Amino acid sequence: MAVYGVPKIALNDGNMIPQLGFGVFQIEPKDTARAVGEALEVGYRHIDTAEMYGNEAEVGQAIRATGLDRDVVFVTSKLDNGFHRPDDARKAFESTLQALKFDYLDLFLIHWPLPTRYSGDFVSTWKVLEELQRDGRAKSIGVSNFQVPHLERLAAEAEVTPAVNQVEVHPYFGNEEVRAYGAAHNILTEGWSPLARGRVLGDPTIIDIAEEVGRTPAQVVLRWHVQRGDIVFPKSTTPQRVEENFQIFDFELDDATMDRINGLDQGDAGRQGPNPDTF
Ligand code: NDP
């Protein structure tokens, strides 16, 4: 069987990120090392975790158990919502490194902007991430769940442009305005819940397309994401699905098929997760 590599994309700071990764939200800590170990075995070299997920230690453990060099696996974690005040953010980042047993992180994100908390001050939190990047402990820094006005505020008040914005994106919620802002300002979009937590896989259009191209619904949806240029990290604790989700670089969807999937967008009604303006 031919091996098709996962493309790497350049971030705005020059670092490279694998376009496909493995997400570990809602994987129990007791199951995480096994799941991540299997993903690494399949060939995934990008893991997306967060302080909030409670499984950073097991992610680090799984990576060490493979014997792979630290620098061949791209690891992202995220600042938890209780720690936006600058001193708390510094301590939380240290706890993340300690849990992973790493001396640096490839990418560190503010998990949610929380515009209704901390007097709406995510800029002072962002300045701590700038500090972490300067001292080399976070190679790249970015944000998650930032809306256009939040990104505009960072552009006006901060020094560093986020390398990525990790937001909800899938066929039922294209999140086009936020993606367009990213594209225009050199901020890569990472699409979370790329399969709409599995809900889009039963969609009749997706099922028809899967039959037409001889692939599974999940492969069709993930292929749609990568052809749009986004970064994705589907979650699965089912070994066969983890493998299936990795086999998306040996076929293509034509423009008409891409448009049919684009046509499933329901706007805000398609969201599976909370709205960042009010969360
Ligand atoms: P996904 O869209 O990745 O869907 C995961 C669900 O789809 C699971 O129930 C899984 O089942 C199922 N699934 C996976 N692959 C297949 C397949 N090939 N066929 C059928 N079903 C499949 O949702 P997530 O919410 O987990 O998002 C992915 C990642 O995004 C997270 O792990 C996390 O890293 C990130 N994320 C970030 C957020 C943020 O605020 N920044 C918010 C939410 C997610 P099973 O496991 O049983 O196989």
Side-chain angles (χ1 to χ4, degrees), residues 22-26 48-49 53 78 109 111-112 144-145 166-167 191-198 201 216 218-219 233-238 241-242 244-245:
F22 183 70
V24 298
F25 177 43
Q26 290 176 330
D48 185 87
T49 184
Y53 305 165
K78 317 182 190 89
L109 310 180
H111 206 146
W112 288 88
S144 177
N145 298 302
Q166 181 178 129
V167 291
W192 62 250
S193 293
L195 306 173
R197 306 199 163 140
L201 303 179
T216 68
Q219 288 173 325
F233 21 80
K235 169 265 173 188
S236 176
T237 44
T238 313
R241 291 175 174 174
V242 175
E244 172 187 326
N245 295 346

Coordinates of all heavy atoms in Angstrom, one line a residue, residues 22-26 48-49 53 78 109 111-112 144-145 166-167 191-198 201 216 218-219 233-238 241-242 244-245, ligand 1:
F22 N -4.5 14.4 15.9 CA -5.4 13.6 16.7 C -5.8 14.4 17.9 O -5.0 14.9 18.7 CB -4.6 12.3 17.1 CG -5.4 11.3 17.9 CD1 -6.4 10.6 17.2 CD2 -5.2 11.1 19.2 CE1 -7.2 9.6 17.9 CE2 -6.0 10.2 19.9 CZ -7.0 9.4 19.3
G23 N -7.2 14.5 18.1 CA -7.7 15.3 19.2 C -8.1 14.4 20.3 O -8.6 13.3 20.1
V24 N -7.8 14.9 21.6 CA -8.1 14.0 22.7 C -9.1 14.5 23.7 O -9.2 14.1 24.8 CB -6.7 13.7 23.5 CG1 -5.8 12.9 22.6 CG2 -6.1 14.9 24.0
F25 N -10.0 15.5 23.2 CA -11.1 16.0 24.1 C -12.0 14.8 24.4 O -12.3 14.0 23.5 CB -11.8 17.1 23.3 CG -13.0 17.6 24.0 CD1 -13.0 17.9 25.3 CD2 -14.2 17.9 23.2 CE1 -14.2 18.5 26.0 CE2 -15.3 18.4 23.8 CZ -15.3 18.7 25.2
Q26 N -12.4 14.7 25.6 CA -13.4 13.6 26.0 C -12.8 12.2 26.0 O -13.6 11.3 25.9 CB -14.7 13.7 25.3 CG -15.5 15.0 25.7 CD -16.7 15.2 24.9 OE1 -16.8 14.9 23.7 NE2 -17.7 15.9 25.5
D48 N -3.6 17.2 19.8 CA -4.3 18.4 20.3 C -4.9 18.1 21.6 O -5.9 17.3 21.7 CB -5.3 18.8 19.3 CG -6.0 20.2 19.8 OD1 -5.4 21.2 19.4 OD2 -7.0 20.1 20.5
T49 N -4.3 18.6 22.7 CA -4.9 18.4 24.0 C -5.1 19.8 24.7 O -5.1 20.8 24.0 CB -3.9 17.6 24.9 OG1 -4.5 17.3 26.2 CG2 -2.6 18.2 25.2
Y53 N -8.9 19.2 29.4 CA -9.2 17.9 29.1 C -8.7 16.9 30.2 O -9.1 15.7 30.2 CB -8.6 17.4 27.7 CG -9.0 18.3 26.6 CD1 -8.4 18.2 25.3 CD2 -10.1 19.2 26.6 CE1 -8.7 19.0 24.3 CE2 -10.4 20.0 25.6 CZ -9.8 19.9 24.4 OH -10.1 20.7 23.3
K78 N -3.7 24.1 25.7 CA -4.5 25.3 25.8 C -4.7 25.8 27.2 O -4.9 24.9 28.1 CB -5.9 25.1 25.1 CG -5.9 24.4 23.8 CD -7.2 24.2 23.2 CE -7.2 23.2 22.0 NZ -7.4 21.8 22.4
L109 N -2.4 27.8 23.2 CA -3.5 28.6 22.8 C -4.3 29.1 24.0 O -4.3 28.4 25.1 CB -4.5 27.8 22.0 CG -4.0 26.9 20.8 CD1 -5.2 26.2 20.1 CD2 -3.3 27.8 19.8
H111 N -7.7 29.1 25.3 CA -8.8 28.2 24.9 C -10.1 28.9 24.5 O -10.7 28.6 23.5 CB -9.1 27.3 26.1 CG -9.6 25.9 25.7 ND1 -9.3 24.8 26.3 CD2 -10.5 25.6 24.7 CE1 -10.0 23.7 25.7 NE2 -10.7 24.2 24.7
W112 N -10.5 29.9 25.3 CA -11.7 30.7 25.0 C -11.4 32.2 25.3 O -10.7 32.5 26.3 CB -12.9 30.2 25.9 CG -13.4 28.9 25.5 CD1 -13.0 27.7 25.9 CD2 -14.5 28.6 24.5 NE1 -13.7 26.7 25.3 CE2 -14.6 27.2 24.5 CE3 -15.3 29.4 23.8 CZ2 -15.6 26.6 23.6 CZ3 -16.3 28.8 23.0 CH2 -16.4 27.4 22.9
S144 N -8.1 30.3 20.4 CA -9.1 29.4 20.1 C -10.5 30.1 20.4 O -10.6 30.8 21.4 CB -9.0 28.1 20.9 OG -10.0 27.2 20.7
N145 N -11.4 29.9 19.5 CA -12.8 30.4 19.7 C -12.8 31.9 19.7 O -13.7 32.5 20.3 CB -13.4 29.9 21.0 CG -13.5 28.3 21.0 OD1 -14.2 27.8 20.1 ND2 -12.9 27.7 21.9
Q166 N -8.3 28.3 16.6 CA -8.9 27.0 16.6 C -10.4 27.2 16.9 O -10.7 27.7 18.0 CB -8.3 26.1 17.6 CG -8.9 24.7 17.6 CD -8.3 23.8 18.6 OE1 -9.0 23.1 19.4 NE2 -6.9 23.6 18.6
V167 N -11.3 27.0 15.9 CA -12.7 27.3 16.1 C -13.5 26.1 15.5 O -13.0 25.3 14.8 CB -13.1 28.6 15.3 CG1 -12.5 29.8 16.0 CG2 -12.7 28.5 13.8
G191 N -9.9 23.6 12.6 CA -11.4 23.3 12.7 C -11.6 22.3 13.8 O -11.3 21.1 13.6
W192 N -12.3 22.7 14.9 CA -12.6 21.7 15.9 C -13.9 21.1 15.7 O -14.8 21.6 15.0 CB -12.4 22.2 17.3 CG -13.2 23.4 17.9 CD1 -12.7 24.6 18.3 CD2 -14.5 23.4 18.4 NE1 -13.6 25.4 18.9 CE2 -14.8 24.6 19.0 CE3 -15.6 22.4 18.4 CZ2 -16.0 25.0 19.6 CZ3 -16.8 22.8 19.0 CH2 -17.0 24.1 19.6
S193 N -14.1 19.9 16.3 CA -15.3 19.0 16.0 C -15.4 18.9 14.5 O -16.5 19.2 13.9 CB -16.5 19.5 16.6 OG -16.5 19.4 18.0
P194 N -14.4 18.5 13.7 CA -14.5 18.5 12.3 C -15.6 17.6 11.7 O -16.0 17.8 10.6 CB -13.1 18.0 11.8 CG -12.6 17.2 13.0 CD -13.1 18.0 14.2
L195 N -16.0 16.6 12.5 CA -17.1 15.7 12.1 C -18.4 16.1 12.7 O -19.3 15.3 12.7 CB -16.7 14.2 12.5 CG -15.3 13.7 12.0 CD1 -15.0 12.4 12.5 CD2 -15.3 13.7 10.4
A196 N -18.4 17.3 13.3 CA -19.6 17.7 14.1 C -20.0 16.7 15.1 O -21.1 16.3 15.4 CB -20.8 18.0 13.2
R197 N -18.9 16.1 15.8 CA -19.0 15.1 16.8 C -19.7 13.9 16.3 O -20.4 13.2 17.0 CB -19.7 15.6 18.0 CG -19.0 16.9 18.5 CD -19.3 17.3 19.9 NE -18.3 18.3 20.4 CZ -18.5 19.3 21.1 NH1 -19.7 19.6 21.5 NH2 -17.5 20.1 21.4
G198 N -19.5 13.6 15.0 CA -20.1 12.4 14.4 C -21.5 12.7 13.7 O -21.9 11.9 12.9
L201 N -22.0 12.7 9.8 CA -21.7 11.4 9.1 C -22.9 10.7 8.6 O -22.8 9.9 7.7 CB -20.8 10.5 9.9 CG -19.5 11.2 10.4 CD1 -18.7 10.2 11.3 CD2 -18.7 11.7 9.3
T216 N -15.4 6.5 3.0 CA -16.4 6.6 4.1 C -16.8 8.0 4.3 O -16.1 9.0 3.9 CB -15.7 6.1 5.4 OG1 -14.8 7.0 5.8 CG2 -15.1 4.7 5.3
A218 N -16.7 9.8 6.9 CA -15.7 10.6 7.7 C -14.5 11.0 6.8 O -14.1 12.1 6.9 CB -15.2 9.7 8.9
Q219 N -14.1 10.1 5.9 CA -13.0 10.5 5.0 C -13.4 11.6 4.1 O -12.6 12.5 3.8 CB -12.6 9.3 4.2 CG -11.8 8.2 5.0 CD -11.5 6.9 4.3 OE1 -12.4 6.5 3.5 NE2 -10.4 6.3 4.6
F233 N -8.1 17.7 13.6 CA -7.6 16.7 14.5 C -8.8 15.9 15.0 O -9.3 16.1 16.2 CB -6.8 17.2 15.6 CG -7.0 18.7 15.9 CD1 -8.0 19.1 16.6 CD2 -6.1 19.6 15.3 CE1 -8.3 20.4 16.8 CE2 -6.3 21.0 15.5 CZ -7.4 21.4 16.3
P234 N -9.5 15.0 14.2 CA -10.6 14.3 14.6 C -10.2 13.4 15.8 O -9.1 13.0 16.0 CB -10.9 13.4 13.4 CG -9.7 13.3 12.6 CD -9.0 14.6 12.8
K235 N -11.2 13.2 16.7 CA -11.1 12.4 17.9 C -11.7 11.0 17.6 O -12.9 11.0 17.1 CB -11.7 13.0 19.1 CG -11.8 12.2 20.3 CD -13.2 11.5 20.5 CE -13.2 10.5 21.6 NZ -14.5 9.8 21.6
S236 N -11.1 9.9 18.0 CA -11.8 8.6 18.0 C -11.0 7.7 18.9 O -9.8 7.8 19.0 CB -11.8 8.0 16.6 OG -12.4 6.7 16.7
T237 N -11.8 6.9 19.7 CA -11.1 5.9 20.5 C -11.4 4.5 19.8 O -11.2 3.5 20.5 CB -11.7 5.9 21.9 OG1 -13.1 6.1 21.9 CG2 -11.1 7.1 22.7
T238 N -11.8 4.5 18.6 CA -12.0 3.3 17.9 C -10.8 3.1 16.9 O -10.7 3.8 15.9 CB -13.3 3.3 17.1 OG1 -14.3 3.9 17.9 CG2 -13.7 2.0 16.5
R241 N -11.3 3.4 13.2 CA -11.6 4.8 12.7 C -10.4 5.7 12.7 O -10.3 6.6 11.9 CB -12.7 5.4 13.6 CG -14.1 4.7 13.5 CD -15.0 5.3 14.5 NE -16.4 4.8 14.3 CZ -17.4 5.1 15.2 NH1 -17.1 5.8 16.2 NH2 -18.6 4.6 14.9
V242 N -9.5 5.5 13.7 CA -8.3 6.3 13.8 C -7.5 6.1 12.5 O -7.0 7.0 12.0 CB -7.5 5.9 15.1 CG1 -6.2 6.6 15.1 CG2 -8.3 6.2 16.3
E244 N -8.8 4.9 9.6 CA -9.6 5.4 8.5 C -9.4 7.0 8.3 O -9.3 7.5 7.2 CB -11.1 5.1 8.8 CG -12.1 5.7 7.9 CD -13.5 5.3 8.5 OE1 -13.7 4.3 9.1 OE2 -14.4 6.2 8.4
N245 N -9.5 7.7 9.4 CA -9.4 9.1 9.4 C -8.0 9.6 8.9 O -7.9 10.8 8.5 CB -9.6 9.7 10.8 CG -11.1 9.5 11.3 OD1 -11.9 9.1 10.5 ND2 -11.3 9.7 12.6
Ligands
NDP1 P1 -15.2 15.2 16.2 O1 -15.9 16.0 15.2 O2 -13.7 14.8 16.0 O3 -16.0 13.8 16.4 C1 -15.7 12.8 17.4 C2 -16.8 11.8 17.3 O4 -16.9 11.2 16.0 C3 -16.6 10.7 18.3 O5 -17.9 10.3 18.8 C4 -16.0 9.5 17.5 O6 -16.4 8.3 18.0 C5 -16.7 9.8 16.1 N1 -15.9 9.4 15.0 C6 -14.6 9.7 14.8 N2 -14.1 9.2 13.6 C7 -15.2 8.5 13.1 C8 -15.3 7.7 11.9 N3 -14.3 7.5 11.1 N4 -16.5 7.1 11.7 C9 -17.5 7.3 12.5 N5 -17.4 8.1 13.7 C10 -16.3 8.6 13.9 O7 -15.4 15.9 17.6 P2 -14.5 16.4 18.8 O8 -15.5 17.3 19.6 O9 -13.9 15.4 19.6 O10 -13.4 17.3 18.1 C11 -12.1 16.9 17.8 C12 -11.1 17.6 18.5 O11 -11.2 19.0 18.4 C13 -11.1 17.4 20.0 O12 -10.6 16.2 20.4 C14 -10.3 18.6 20.5 O13 -8.9 18.3 20.3 C15 -10.7 19.7 19.6 N6 -11.8 20.5 20.2 C16 -11.5 21.8 20.6 C17 -12.4 22.6 21.1 C18 -12.0 24.0 21.5 O14 -12.8 24.7 22.2 N7 -10.8 24.5 21.2 C19 -13.8 22.2 21.4 C20 -14.0 20.8 20.9 C21 -13.1 20.0 20.3 P3 -15.5 7.2 18.7 O15 -14.5 8.0 19.6 O16 -16.4 6.4 19.6 O17 -14.9 6.4 17.7

